[in-house]
Amino acid sequence: MAGRFAPRPTRTTVRGGHVAVSAGIPRQAAAPGRVRTWVPQGPLDLGLVLGPLRRGPGDPTFRAMPDGSVWRASLTPAGPGTLRVSARGAEVRGEAWGPGSEWLLERLPELLGAADDPSVFVPRHRVVAMARHRRPGLRLTRTGLVMESLIPSVLEQKVTTDEAYRAWRLLVRKYGEPAPGPAPGRMCVMPDARTWALIPSWEWHRAGVDNKRASTILRAVRVAARMEEAVRMPPAEAQARLEVVPGIGPWTSAEVVQRSHGAADAVTVGDLHLPGIVGFALAGDRDADDSVMLELLEPYAGQRHRAARLILLSGRVPGRRAPRMPRGDIGRL
């Protein structure tokens, strides 16, 4: 989770992006896959780097194991693939299976933050400096994949964390395919664009996805190739490309490029909780709105997303003073 503090985590604080990964006895794979080893420059925390890619504890495409490894199932341009990442000392080992294995291993360093340069970040507030000191292994991941972040981000629009994660879990398990290789049980690769487009309306309903979010996803998958092309654009241009699709706004596009591009400056606006958290941490203002948040983050121009993540990881959040947003389940209607 984003930090160890009393209030129940929201989707925003979870986006601080920490997944507990413990060291232990290496897991023995049932069948060998392609292997690549890589030595990062400086400290690397797998849980922090890959944590933002997990969509809830039951995400079928992501698994953090007791032996310290992290598993991901991805739909790559070369086909489905499963990647297992583990760290032993200063070395990172990646092992991959399936048609997309070579693609996944080729981009392993970028996935683990090799394209990120945290040294350019200069803390301007004590809370940010302390969070950075405590989390030296934080790097910004770059997946090189747009749709795998876009679809779950659309599912997270204006609903509770539990609702969004449940919808992602149900739809991927029902319409995805089993992850290649010796992946942990029930791991799946998300459906391709055509499969998403063919999901019947009643199945969206059963998964708790309203027509507005389902329609946005259907519009996006019809132009999936154009969406994926955005990964070769600068983050700001990529966001503009994504926002051409009705239903995709600045909140969703920022959530995508943070993961697909490793965009260090793509701060999330339009969020229910983030402005208040940033305002409280930096100025004691729990009622801050987007404009106040952006003003407070101005000293971090070019690195505002990193600053926001460090604030989320600091655990300095205002206490809850209003009832939690009620959970709905349109699937029961």
Side-chain angles (χ1 to χ4, degrees):
M1 293 299 174
R4 297 176 177 86
F5 47 93
R8 178 183 174 91
T10 64
R11 180 168 65 247
T12 308
T13 57
V14 169
R15 285 206 309 274
H18 180 236
V19 173
V21 177
S22 59
I25 300 173
R27 183 180 188 272
Q28 298 300 315
R34 294 175 179 265
V35 176
R36 177 177 182 178
T37 58
W38 176 65
V39 178
Q41 298 297 315
L44 176 69
D45 187 322
L46 288 181
L48 283 176
V49 177
L50 299 179
L53 304 180
R54 185 179 72 164
R55 306 293 180 154
D59 186 348
T61 69
F62 189 106
R63 197 72 52 84
M65 303 299 288
D67 66 3
S69 64
V70 174
W71 292 75
R72 292 193 68 233
S74 297
L75 183 62
T76 76
T82 302
L83 175 67
R84 176 182 181 264
V85 185
S86 58
R88 293 292 177 266
E91 184 179 84
V92 175
R93 173 186 168 93
E95 191 170 9
W97 297 263
S101 59
E102 187 173 349
W103 191 94
L104 289 170
L105 291 178
E106 181 181 346
R107 286 156 182 80
L108 178 66
E110 287 194 358
L111 180 72
L112 299 179
D116 182 36
D117 184 8
S119 66
V120 302
F121 182 77
V122 179
R124 305 291 184 180
H125 300 82
R126 179 178 175 83
V127 65
V128 177
M130 291 298 295
R132 185 190 187 197
H133 176 73
R134 290 194 299 266
R135 310 281 187 161
L138 174 64
R139 299 288 185 273
L140 300 182
T141 185
R142 176 185 171 92
T143 66
L145 297 169
V146 172
M147 295 303 292
E148 76 165 22
S149 292
L150 176 59
I151 292 173
S153 294
V154 172
L155 292 175
E156 293 174 4
Q157 292 175 351
K158 300 184 184 300
V159 295
T160 65
T161 304
D162 290 344
E163 289 176 272
Y165 291 164
R166 174 180 177 271
W168 173 249
R169 182 174 65 250
L170 292 178
L171 292 169
V172 172
R173 282 185 176 161
K174 184 160 188 174
Y175 292 99
E177 62 178 276
R186 302 195 71 188
M187 282 196 71
C188 299
V189 177
M190 81 169 205
D192 60 18
R194 176 174 172 78
T195 303
W196 284 111
L198 295 176
I199 295 177
S201 60
W202 58 87
E203 293 293 352
W204 292 104
H205 186 83
R206 286 174 179 170
V209 183
D210 57 62
N211 183 65
K212 182 176 181 180
R213 287 179 293 150
S215 297
T216 299
I217 291 173
L218 293 176
R219 285 191 289 266
V221 297
R222 291 189 186 108
V223 290
R226 297 285 288 167
M227 296 291 97
E228 292 292 355
E229 287 175 3
V231 81
R232 296 189 290 273
M233 301 177 177
E237 293 181 18
Q239 287 190 252
R241 166 72 65 90
L242 297 178
E243 291 171 23
V244 169
V245 177
I248 298 176
W251 184 93
T252 305
S253 66
E255 290 289 303
V256 173
V257 299
Q258 288 166 7
R259 297 166 172 84
S260 62
H261 290 66
D265 196 49
V267 62
T268 304
V269 295
D271 193 83
L272 179 62
H273 303 286
L274 187 60
I277 293 173
V278 172
F280 180 79
L282 300 187
D285 181 6
R286 64 181 297 160
D287 298 313
D289 58 14
D290 279 334
S291 62
V292 173
M293 175 182 70
L294 293 176
E295 183 178 349
L296 290 171
L297 291 176
E298 183 59 31
Y300 299 104
Q303 294 283 314
R304 293 177 299 173
H305 169 52
R306 189 191 310 277
R309 277 203 66 190
L310 288 169
I311 291 169
L312 292 172
L313 289 164
S314 74
R316 184 172 171 78
V317 299
R320 197 178 295 279
R321 66 181 181 185
R324 287 174 54 80
M325 180 178 177
R327 176 182 173 181
D329 187 358
I330 66 171
R332 295 184 178 182
L333 300 178

